[in-house]
Amino acid sequence: MDLNKFYETWHEELQHHIHHLTNPPRPPTTPDHHHQLTQLVNQLLLHFSQYYRVTSLAATQNTLFYPRWSTTLERSLHWLTGWRPTTLFHLLYTESGILFESRLFDIIHGVQTADLGDLTAPQLTRLSELQCETVKLENAISDEMSEWQDDAVGVMGRTSVDVDIIGQLVKIVDKANDLRLRTLAKVVEVLTPQQAVELMIAAARLQLGIRRLGLKHDRERIEPSNQNQKVC
């Protein structure tokens, strides 16, 4: 598998998903519009699932732990090869706050906007519960990773890597990927189709933005090095 090619293609397809998500009317005005938004969100969930299935496969091939298909910036922000599951809640609350402030006049006058800025009390309660659950699970995986690092110190310097050690790391990465996907799916369940679309667009744009910035930074870092080699 050409992981570099997969990664580039995956991001190109992610841009297409964003384009499709921004096309349907929001708020949805008919049952067909609701169904269309739900289908688009499910397709994007499947797209993210595909990415993490491939990274788990890469882990079994021992190509994951120096992921050259990602940029230096992306790797600096990674938690076990991807975003922290709790990051989703920070993004959701940030987007909700921005929309709430922009629609404050309407909300004060009782006009329901039905977007992320108009989260209901039951939704906020459930999201808070999910966030607490996710924090506990995320911390547990981080603890497992710390224990693995302690065990791995004992095999450093060997000519062959202990298969059991690599196997343990693959299982931890699988747990992290599973938690990312489950967190995303559970949060989407709490939201309305319109709110889910807004969150997915924000998450996708954030990932693409970090990717573009990382590529720019890496190019700027490499170009001076190449120029110095030509001078020498």
Side-chain angles (χ1 to χ4, degrees):
M1 179 185 297
D2 186 341
L3 292 173
N4 289 304
K5 180 63 176 176
F6 167 79
Y7 201 62
E8 291 301 325
T9 302
W10 187 88
H11 276 86
E12 290 172 3
E13 292 174 353
L14 183 60
Q15 290 179 317
H16 291 305
H17 280 291
I18 294 178
H19 175 71
H20 291 311
L21 283 171
T22 55
N23 282 338
R26 288 181 284 149
T29 55
T30 68
D32 285 343
H33 290 161
H34 276 279
H35 179 70
Q36 184 181 7
L37 290 179
T38 300
Q39 289 293 100
L40 290 171
V41 168
N42 288 337
Q43 288 172 13
L44 189 49
L45 284 172
L46 183 62
H47 189 61
F48 277 107
S49 176
Q50 178 190 34
Y51 172 75
Y52 287 111
R53 282 201 306 271
V54 171
T55 58
S56 291
L57 176 62
T60 64
Q61 299 173 348
N62 198 26
T63 60
L64 179 66
F65 313 118
Y66 181 62
R68 284 173 287 182
W69 63 87
S70 59
T71 65
T72 305
L73 176 61
E74 288 172 302
R75 291 195 293 273
S76 72
L77 298 173
H78 278 173
W79 173 81
L80 287 167
T81 75
W83 48 272
R84 282 183 175 272
T86 48
T87 301
L88 185 65
F89 296 97
H90 300 307
L91 178 63
L92 189 156
Y93 293 137
T94 298
E95 291 296 313
S96 179
I98 292 172
L99 287 171
F100 180 83
E101 290 182 6
S102 67
R103 313 278 172 80
L104 187 57
F105 180 82
D106 290 335
I107 294 171
I108 289 175
H109 288 82
V111 178
Q112 291 187 328
T113 58
D115 56 20
L116 277 177
D118 195 19
L119 294 171
T120 65
Q123 283 179 311
L124 289 169
T125 299
R126 180 57 184 144
L127 288 170
S128 179
E129 293 170 349
L130 282 175
Q131 184 175 14
C132 290
E133 293 170 10
T134 305
V135 167
K136 291 178 182 178
L137 293 170
E138 189 179 284
N139 288 341
I141 294 173
S142 293
D143 289 342
E144 280 191 62
M145 186 61 188
S146 296
E147 292 176 6
W148 179 88
Q149 289 172 326
D150 290 340
D151 293 338
V153 170
V155 300
M156 294 294 288
R158 293 184 185 177
T159 55
S160 60
V161 179
D162 192 311
V163 174
D164 290 336
I165 289 293
I166 294 299
Q168 291 168 16
L169 182 54
V170 170
K171 289 179 180 178
I172 296 172
V173 171
D174 283 343
K175 286 183 180 180
N177 286 338
D178 181 63
L179 181 57
R180 274 184 275 264
L181 291 171
R182 282 192 293 115
T183 301
L184 189 56
K186 286 182 178 180
V187 168
V188 165
E189 287 179 1
V190 175
L191 305 176
T192 66
Q194 177 184 348
Q195 291 168 341
V197 164
E198 291 168 346
L199 177 62
M200 297 296 277
I201 289 174
R205 283 177 172 167
L206 176 62
Q207 184 150 350
L208 288 171
I210 292 173
R211 173 71 175 168
R212 283 193 294 268
L213 186 60
L215 288 171
K216 180 176 182 293
H217 178 269
D218 284 354
R219 280 195 299 268
E220 292 173 348
R221 186 167 54 87
I222 292 172
E223 287 172 1
S225 176
N226 291 338
Q227 291 174 357
N228 290 336
Q229 290 178 0
K230 290 179 181 178
V231 172
C232 295

Short mmCIF file of all heavy atoms in Angstrom, two decimals, residues 72 212 214-232:
data_model
loop_
_atom_site.label_atom_id
_atom_site.label_comp_id
_atom_site.label_asym_id
_atom_site.label_seq_id
_atom_site.Cartn_x
_atom_site.Cartn_y
_atom_site.Cartn_z
N THR A 72 5.33 17.62 9.44
CA THR A 72 5.94 17.80 10.76
C THR A 72 4.94 18.41 11.74
O THR A 72 4.86 18.02 12.90
CB THR A 72 7.17 18.71 10.65
OG1 THR A 72 8.08 18.15 9.69
CG2 THR A 72 7.88 18.82 12.00
N ARG A 212 -2.54 21.96 5.21
CA ARG A 212 -1.98 22.97 4.31
C ARG A 212 -0.86 23.75 4.97
O ARG A 212 0.19 24.01 4.36
CB ARG A 212 -3.09 23.92 3.85
CG ARG A 212 -4.00 23.36 2.77
CD ARG A 212 -4.85 24.46 2.15
NE ARG A 212 -5.78 25.01 3.11
CZ ARG A 212 -7.02 24.57 3.28
NH1 ARG A 212 -7.47 23.56 2.55
NH2 ARG A 212 -7.82 25.14 4.17
N GLY A 214 1.01 22.76 7.44
CA GLY A 214 2.14 21.86 7.62
C GLY A 214 2.94 21.67 6.34
O GLY A 214 4.18 21.66 6.37
N LEU A 215 2.25 21.53 5.21
CA LEU A 215 2.94 21.39 3.93
C LEU A 215 3.75 22.65 3.61
O LEU A 215 4.88 22.56 3.12
CB LEU A 215 1.91 21.12 2.82
CG LEU A 215 1.26 19.73 2.82
CD1 LEU A 215 0.11 19.69 1.82
CD2 LEU A 215 2.29 18.65 2.50
N LYS A 216 3.16 23.80 3.86
CA LYS A 216 3.85 25.07 3.61
C LYS A 216 5.10 25.19 4.48
O LYS A 216 6.18 25.57 4.01
CB LYS A 216 2.90 26.24 3.89
CG LYS A 216 3.49 27.62 3.66
CD LYS A 216 2.44 28.70 3.89
CE LYS A 216 3.01 30.11 3.62
NZ LYS A 216 4.02 30.48 4.62
N HIS A 217 4.96 24.82 5.74
CA HIS A 217 6.10 24.90 6.67
C HIS A 217 7.21 23.95 6.25
O HIS A 217 8.41 24.32 6.27
CB HIS A 217 5.62 24.55 8.08
CG HIS A 217 6.71 24.57 9.11
ND1 HIS A 217 7.45 23.44 9.42
CD2 HIS A 217 7.21 25.56 9.89
CE1 HIS A 217 8.34 23.73 10.34
NE2 HIS A 217 8.22 25.01 10.65
N ASP A 218 6.85 22.74 5.83
CA ASP A 218 7.87 21.76 5.43
C ASP A 218 8.58 22.20 4.16
O ASP A 218 9.79 22.01 4.02
CB ASP A 218 7.23 20.38 5.23
CG ASP A 218 6.92 19.70 6.56
OD1 ASP A 218 7.31 20.24 7.61
OD2 ASP A 218 6.28 18.62 6.54
N ARG A 219 7.84 22.78 3.21
CA ARG A 219 8.47 23.26 1.97
C ARG A 219 9.47 24.37 2.28
O ARG A 219 10.58 24.40 1.74
CB ARG A 219 7.41 23.77 1.00
CG ARG A 219 6.69 22.69 0.22
CD ARG A 219 5.94 23.27 -0.96
NE ARG A 219 4.94 24.22 -0.55
CZ ARG A 219 3.66 23.89 -0.30
NH1 ARG A 219 3.27 22.64 -0.45
NH2 ARG A 219 2.79 24.82 0.08
N GLU A 220 9.08 25.30 3.15
CA GLU A 220 9.95 26.41 3.51
C GLU A 220 11.20 25.92 4.23
O GLU A 220 12.27 26.53 4.13
CB GLU A 220 9.19 27.42 4.36
CG GLU A 220 8.09 28.16 3.61
CD GLU A 220 7.25 29.03 4.51
OE1 GLU A 220 7.38 28.88 5.76
OE2 GLU A 220 6.47 29.84 4.00
N ARG A 221 11.06 24.83 4.96
CA ARG A 221 12.19 24.28 5.70
C ARG A 221 13.15 23.53 4.78
O ARG A 221 14.37 23.53 4.98
CB ARG A 221 11.68 23.35 6.79
CG ARG A 221 12.74 22.82 7.74
CD ARG A 221 12.09 22.18 8.96
NE ARG A 221 11.12 21.17 8.58
CZ ARG A 221 11.44 19.88 8.36
NH1 ARG A 221 12.69 19.48 8.46
NH2 ARG A 221 10.51 19.01 8.05
N ILE A 222 12.60 22.89 3.75
CA ILE A 222 13.41 22.08 2.84
C ILE A 222 14.13 22.94 1.80
O ILE A 222 15.29 22.69 1.47
CB ILE A 222 12.53 21.03 2.13
CG1 ILE A 222 12.05 19.98 3.14
CG2 ILE A 222 13.30 20.35 1.00
CD1 ILE A 222 11.03 19.03 2.59
N GLU A 223 13.47 23.98 1.30
CA GLU A 223 14.04 24.80 0.23
C GLU A 223 15.37 25.44 0.60
O GLU A 223 16.33 25.37 -0.17
CB GLU A 223 13.04 25.86 -0.21
CG GLU A 223 11.89 25.27 -1.02
CD GLU A 223 10.79 26.27 -1.30
OE1 GLU A 223 10.94 27.44 -0.87
OE2 GLU A 223 9.80 25.90 -1.95
N PRO A 224 15.51 26.07 1.79
CA PRO A 224 16.83 26.62 2.15
C PRO A 224 17.91 25.56 2.23
O PRO A 224 19.06 25.79 1.88
CB PRO A 224 16.57 27.25 3.53
CG PRO A 224 15.11 27.54 3.55
CD PRO A 224 14.48 26.42 2.79
N SER A 225 17.53 24.33 2.69
CA SER A 225 18.49 23.25 2.78
C SER A 225 19.00 22.86 1.40
O SER A 225 20.20 22.63 1.19
CB SER A 225 17.83 22.04 3.46
OG SER A 225 18.71 20.94 3.48
N ASN A 226 18.08 22.79 0.42
CA ASN A 226 18.48 22.45 -0.94
C ASN A 226 19.38 23.53 -1.55
O ASN A 226 20.33 23.24 -2.25
CB ASN A 226 17.24 22.28 -1.82
CG ASN A 226 16.44 21.03 -1.44
OD1 ASN A 226 16.99 20.11 -0.83
ND2 ASN A 226 15.17 20.99 -1.81
N GLN A 227 19.08 24.79 -1.25
CA GLN A 227 19.89 25.89 -1.77
C GLN A 227 21.32 25.83 -1.20
O GLN A 227 22.28 26.09 -1.89
CB GLN A 227 19.23 27.22 -1.44
CG GLN A 227 17.94 27.47 -2.21
CD GLN A 227 17.23 28.73 -1.76
OE1 GLN A 227 17.66 29.41 -0.83
NE2 GLN A 227 16.11 29.05 -2.40
N ASN A 228 21.41 25.49 0.10
CA ASN A 228 22.73 25.39 0.73
C ASN A 228 23.55 24.28 0.10
O ASN A 228 24.76 24.40 -0.07
CB ASN A 228 22.57 25.13 2.22
CG ASN A 228 22.02 26.34 2.96
OD1 ASN A 228 22.18 27.47 2.48
ND2 ASN A 228 21.41 26.12 4.11
N GLN A 229 22.88 23.17 -0.27
CA GLN A 229 23.60 22.06 -0.90
C GLN A 229 24.14 22.46 -2.26
O GLN A 229 25.25 22.08 -2.66
CB GLN A 229 22.66 20.85 -1.02
CG GLN A 229 22.32 20.20 0.30
CD GLN A 229 21.34 19.04 0.14
OE1 GLN A 229 20.93 18.71 -0.96
NE2 GLN A 229 20.98 18.43 1.26
N LYS A 230 23.35 23.27 -3.01
CA LYS A 230 23.82 23.72 -4.32
C LYS A 230 25.02 24.62 -4.20
O LYS A 230 25.97 24.55 -4.98
CB LYS A 230 22.68 24.46 -5.03
CG LYS A 230 21.53 23.55 -5.46
CD LYS A 230 20.43 24.34 -6.14
CE LYS A 230 19.27 23.44 -6.53
NZ LYS A 230 18.18 24.22 -7.17
N VAL A 231 25.02 25.47 -3.18
CA VAL A 231 26.16 26.37 -2.95
C VAL A 231 27.42 25.60 -2.65
O VAL A 231 28.50 25.91 -3.14
CB VAL A 231 25.83 27.37 -1.81
CG1 VAL A 231 27.08 28.16 -1.44
CG2 VAL A 231 24.71 28.30 -2.22
N CYS A 232 27.27 24.56 -1.81
CA CYS A 232 28.43 23.74 -1.45
C CYS A 232 28.97 22.99 -2.67
O CYS A 232 30.14 22.73 -2.78
CB CYS A 232 28.05 22.77 -0.35
SG CYS A 232 27.62 23.58 1.21
#
